[in-house]
mmCIF file of all heavy atoms in Angstrom:
data_model
loop_
_atom_site.group_PDB
_atom_site.id
_atom_site.type_symbol
_atom_site.label_atom_id
_atom_site.label_comp_id
_atom_site.label_asym_id
_atom_site.label_seq_id
_atom_site.Cartn_x
_atom_site.Cartn_y
_atom_site.Cartn_z
ATOM 1 N N LYS A 140 -0.484 42.240 -3.872
ATOM 2 C CA LYS A 140 0.461 41.182 -4.236
ATOM 3 C C LYS A 140 1.891 41.704 -4.363
ATOM 4 O O LYS A 140 2.118 42.847 -4.735
ATOM 5 C CB LYS A 140 0.029 40.527 -5.555
ATOM 6 C CG LYS A 140 0.739 39.193 -5.806
ATOM 7 C CD LYS A 140 0.110 38.419 -6.935
ATOM 8 C CE LYS A 140 -0.879 37.366 -6.432
ATOM 9 N NZ LYS A 140 -1.538 36.674 -7.517
ATOM 10 N N ALA A 141 2.854 40.819 -4.019
ATOM 11 C CA ALA A 141 4.269 41.166 -4.167
ATOM 12 C C ALA A 141 4.619 41.267 -5.648
ATOM 13 O O ALA A 141 3.851 40.855 -6.515
ATOM 14 C CB ALA A 141 5.124 40.096 -3.491
ATOM 15 N N GLY A 142 5.788 41.804 -5.914
ATOM 16 C CA GLY A 142 6.258 41.898 -7.291
ATOM 17 C C GLY A 142 6.332 43.328 -7.769
ATOM 18 O O GLY A 142 5.561 44.185 -7.340
ATOM 19 N N ILE A 143 7.263 43.553 -8.695
ATOM 20 C CA ILE A 143 7.414 44.899 -9.249
ATOM 21 C C ILE A 143 6.389 45.090 -10.368
ATOM 22 O O ILE A 143 5.978 44.118 -11.021
ATOM 23 C CB ILE A 143 8.870 45.107 -9.747
ATOM 24 C CG1 ILE A 143 9.126 46.565 -10.082
ATOM 25 C CG2 ILE A 143 9.194 44.205 -10.944
ATOM 26 C CD1 ILE A 143 10.508 47.019 -9.746
ATOM 27 N N MET A 144 5.944 46.325 -10.556
ATOM 28 C CA MET A 144 4.976 46.591 -11.619
ATOM 29 C C MET A 144 5.635 46.385 -12.994
ATOM 30 O O MET A 144 6.810 46.701 -13.167
ATOM 31 C CB MET A 144 4.454 48.034 -11.521
ATOM 32 C CG MET A 144 3.532 48.265 -10.344
ATOM 33 S SD MET A 144 2.020 47.259 -10.493
ATOM 34 C CE MET A 144 1.462 47.292 -8.799
ATOM 35 N N PRO A 145 4.856 45.902 -13.954
ATOM 36 C CA PRO A 145 5.440 45.640 -15.285
ATOM 37 C C PRO A 145 6.201 46.829 -15.872
ATOM 38 O O PRO A 145 7.308 46.675 -16.384
ATOM 39 C CB PRO A 145 4.216 45.292 -16.127
ATOM 40 C CG PRO A 145 3.255 44.696 -15.151
ATOM 41 C CD PRO A 145 3.460 45.451 -13.863
ATOM 42 N N ARG A 146 5.607 48.027 -15.768
ATOM 43 C CA ARG A 146 6.266 49.187 -16.410
ATOM 44 C C ARG A 146 7.553 49.586 -15.704
ATOM 45 O O ARG A 146 8.352 50.346 -16.247
ATOM 46 C CB ARG A 146 5.294 50.374 -16.468
ATOM 47 C CG ARG A 146 4.890 50.892 -15.111
ATOM 48 C CD ARG A 146 3.858 52.027 -15.177
ATOM 49 N NE ARG A 146 3.337 52.302 -13.846
ATOM 50 C CZ ARG A 146 2.363 51.579 -13.275
ATOM 51 N NH1 ARG A 146 1.803 50.579 -13.927
ATOM 52 N NH2 ARG A 146 1.961 51.864 -12.046
ATOM 53 N N GLU A 147 7.769 49.101 -14.468
ATOM 54 C CA GLU A 147 8.994 49.449 -13.733
ATOM 55 C C GLU A 147 10.065 48.362 -13.842
ATOM 56 O O GLU A 147 11.169 48.522 -13.321
ATOM 57 C CB GLU A 147 8.649 49.656 -12.241
ATOM 58 C CG GLU A 147 7.755 50.869 -12.006
ATOM 59 C CD GLU A 147 7.165 50.890 -10.594
ATOM 60 O OE1 GLU A 147 7.462 49.996 -9.782
ATOM 61 O OE2 GLU A 147 6.387 51.824 -10.326
ATOM 62 N N THR A 148 9.716 47.269 -14.516
ATOM 63 C CA THR A 148 10.610 46.113 -14.506
ATOM 64 C C THR A 148 11.934 46.381 -15.225
ATOM 65 O O THR A 148 13.006 46.026 -14.718
ATOM 66 C CB THR A 148 9.906 44.884 -15.129
ATOM 67 O OG1 THR A 148 8.677 44.672 -14.435
ATOM 68 C CG2 THR A 148 10.764 43.643 -15.005
ATOM 69 N N ALA A 149 11.880 47.007 -16.375
ATOM 70 C CA ALA A 149 13.114 47.228 -17.142
ATOM 71 C C ALA A 149 14.112 48.063 -16.345
ATOM 72 O O ALA A 149 15.304 47.734 -16.284
ATOM 73 C CB ALA A 149 12.791 47.903 -18.476
ATOM 74 N N ALA A 150 13.626 49.141 -15.725
ATOM 75 C CA ALA A 150 14.525 50.010 -14.955
ATOM 76 C C ALA A 150 15.084 49.262 -13.740
ATOM 77 O O ALA A 150 16.255 49.422 -13.372
ATOM 78 C CB ALA A 150 13.785 51.272 -14.511
ATOM 79 N N PHE A 151 14.241 48.428 -13.126
ATOM 80 C CA PHE A 151 14.702 47.684 -11.951
ATOM 81 C C PHE A 151 15.761 46.641 -12.333
ATOM 82 O O PHE A 151 16.774 46.493 -11.644
ATOM 83 C CB PHE A 151 13.501 47.017 -11.252
ATOM 84 C CG PHE A 151 13.884 46.234 -10.031
ATOM 85 C CD1 PHE A 151 14.477 46.868 -8.938
ATOM 86 C CD2 PHE A 151 13.659 44.871 -9.960
ATOM 87 C CE1 PHE A 151 14.840 46.143 -7.801
ATOM 88 C CE2 PHE A 151 14.010 44.144 -8.838
ATOM 89 C CZ PHE A 151 14.603 44.777 -7.757
ATOM 90 N N VAL A 152 15.534 45.935 -13.428
ATOM 91 C CA VAL A 152 16.523 44.958 -13.886
ATOM 92 C C VAL A 152 17.844 45.665 -14.225
ATOM 93 O O VAL A 152 18.928 45.186 -13.888
ATOM 94 C CB VAL A 152 15.993 44.144 -15.095
ATOM 95 C CG1 VAL A 152 17.096 43.330 -15.759
ATOM 96 C CG2 VAL A 152 14.861 43.213 -14.641
ATOM 97 N N ALA A 153 17.739 46.845 -14.836
ATOM 98 C CA ALA A 153 18.951 47.612 -15.167
ATOM 99 C C ALA A 153 19.701 48.022 -13.904
ATOM 100 O O ALA A 153 20.934 47.933 -13.849
ATOM 101 C CB ALA A 153 18.583 48.841 -16.006
ATOM 102 N N LEU A 154 18.957 48.449 -12.887
ATOM 103 C CA LEU A 154 19.598 48.815 -11.617
ATOM 104 C C LEU A 154 20.335 47.611 -11.019
ATOM 105 O O LEU A 154 21.478 47.719 -10.573
ATOM 106 C CB LEU A 154 18.535 49.300 -10.615
ATOM 107 C CG LEU A 154 19.033 49.465 -9.177
ATOM 108 C CD1 LEU A 154 19.499 50.894 -8.935
ATOM 109 C CD2 LEU A 154 17.976 49.082 -8.157
ATOM 110 N N CYS A 155 19.672 46.458 -11.009
ATOM 111 C CA CYS A 155 20.286 45.245 -10.457
ATOM 112 C C CYS A 155 21.563 44.891 -11.212
ATOM 113 O O CYS A 155 22.599 44.633 -10.622
ATOM 114 C CB CYS A 155 19.315 44.068 -10.518
ATOM 115 S SG CYS A 155 17.913 44.240 -9.409
ATOM 116 N N ARG A 156 21.467 44.910 -12.534
ATOM 117 C CA ARG A 156 22.601 44.490 -13.356
ATOM 118 C C ARG A 156 23.732 45.501 -13.338
ATOM 119 O O ARG A 156 24.888 45.161 -13.109
ATOM 120 C CB ARG A 156 22.150 44.344 -14.813
ATOM 121 C CG ARG A 156 21.380 43.093 -15.130
ATOM 122 C CD ARG A 156 20.817 43.275 -16.532
ATOM 123 N NE ARG A 156 20.389 42.009 -17.132
ATOM 124 C CZ ARG A 156 19.714 41.942 -18.283
ATOM 125 N NH1 ARG A 156 19.411 43.057 -18.936
ATOM 126 N NH2 ARG A 156 19.354 40.775 -18.781
ATOM 127 N N ASP A 157 23.397 46.760 -13.619
ATOM 128 C CA ASP A 157 24.431 47.753 -13.891
ATOM 129 C C ASP A 157 25.014 48.364 -12.624
ATOM 130 O O ASP A 157 26.220 48.501 -12.495
ATOM 131 C CB ASP A 157 23.881 48.866 -14.791
ATOM 132 C CG ASP A 157 23.318 48.301 -16.095
ATOM 133 O OD1 ASP A 157 23.734 47.184 -16.454
ATOM 134 O OD2 ASP A 157 22.474 48.958 -16.714
ATOM 135 N N GLU A 158 24.136 48.716 -11.685
ATOM 136 C CA GLU A 158 24.644 49.388 -10.495
ATOM 137 C C GLU A 158 25.037 48.387 -9.413
ATOM 138 O O GLU A 158 26.084 48.515 -8.788
ATOM 139 C CB GLU A 158 23.586 50.363 -9.959
ATOM 140 C CG GLU A 158 24.148 51.240 -8.854
ATOM 141 C CD GLU A 158 23.097 52.158 -8.252
ATOM 142 O OE1 GLU A 158 22.158 52.543 -8.992
ATOM 143 O OE2 GLU A 158 23.207 52.465 -7.060
ATOM 144 N N LEU A 159 24.214 47.375 -9.184
ATOM 145 C CA LEU A 159 24.490 46.443 -8.083
ATOM 146 C C LEU A 159 25.293 45.226 -8.533
ATOM 147 O O LEU A 159 25.673 44.405 -7.713
ATOM 148 C CB LEU A 159 23.167 45.994 -7.442
ATOM 149 C CG LEU A 159 22.276 47.133 -6.925
ATOM 150 C CD1 LEU A 159 20.966 46.592 -6.365
ATOM 151 C CD2 LEU A 159 23.006 47.947 -5.869
ATOM 152 N N LYS A 160 25.531 45.096 -9.828
ATOM 153 C CA LYS A 160 26.320 43.979 -10.393
ATOM 154 C C LYS A 160 25.718 42.615 -10.033
ATOM 155 O O LYS A 160 26.435 41.656 -9.758
ATOM 156 C CB LYS A 160 27.786 44.035 -9.932
ATOM 157 C CG LYS A 160 28.449 45.403 -10.091
ATOM 158 C CD LYS A 160 28.540 45.816 -11.555
ATOM 159 C CE LYS A 160 29.161 47.214 -11.691
ATOM 160 N NZ LYS A 160 28.724 47.887 -12.929
ATOM 161 N N LEU A 161 24.403 42.573 -9.990
ATOM 162 C CA LEU A 161 23.717 41.313 -9.711
ATOM 163 C C LEU A 161 23.349 40.646 -11.029
ATOM 164 O O LEU A 161 22.751 41.283 -11.902
ATOM 165 C CB LEU A 161 22.423 41.564 -8.921
ATOM 166 C CG LEU A 161 22.563 41.983 -7.466
ATOM 167 C CD1 LEU A 161 21.184 42.371 -6.899
ATOM 168 C CD2 LEU A 161 23.183 40.864 -6.627
#
Side-chain angles (χ1 to χ4, degrees):
K140 195 168 263 177
I143 191 144
M144 289 296 161
R146 64 183 169 279
E147 294 167 2
T148 305
F151 180 62
V152 168
L154 169 93
C155 292
R156 282 170 163 171
D157 303 338
E158 189 183 330
L159 303 178
K160 311 296 178 206
L161 288 172

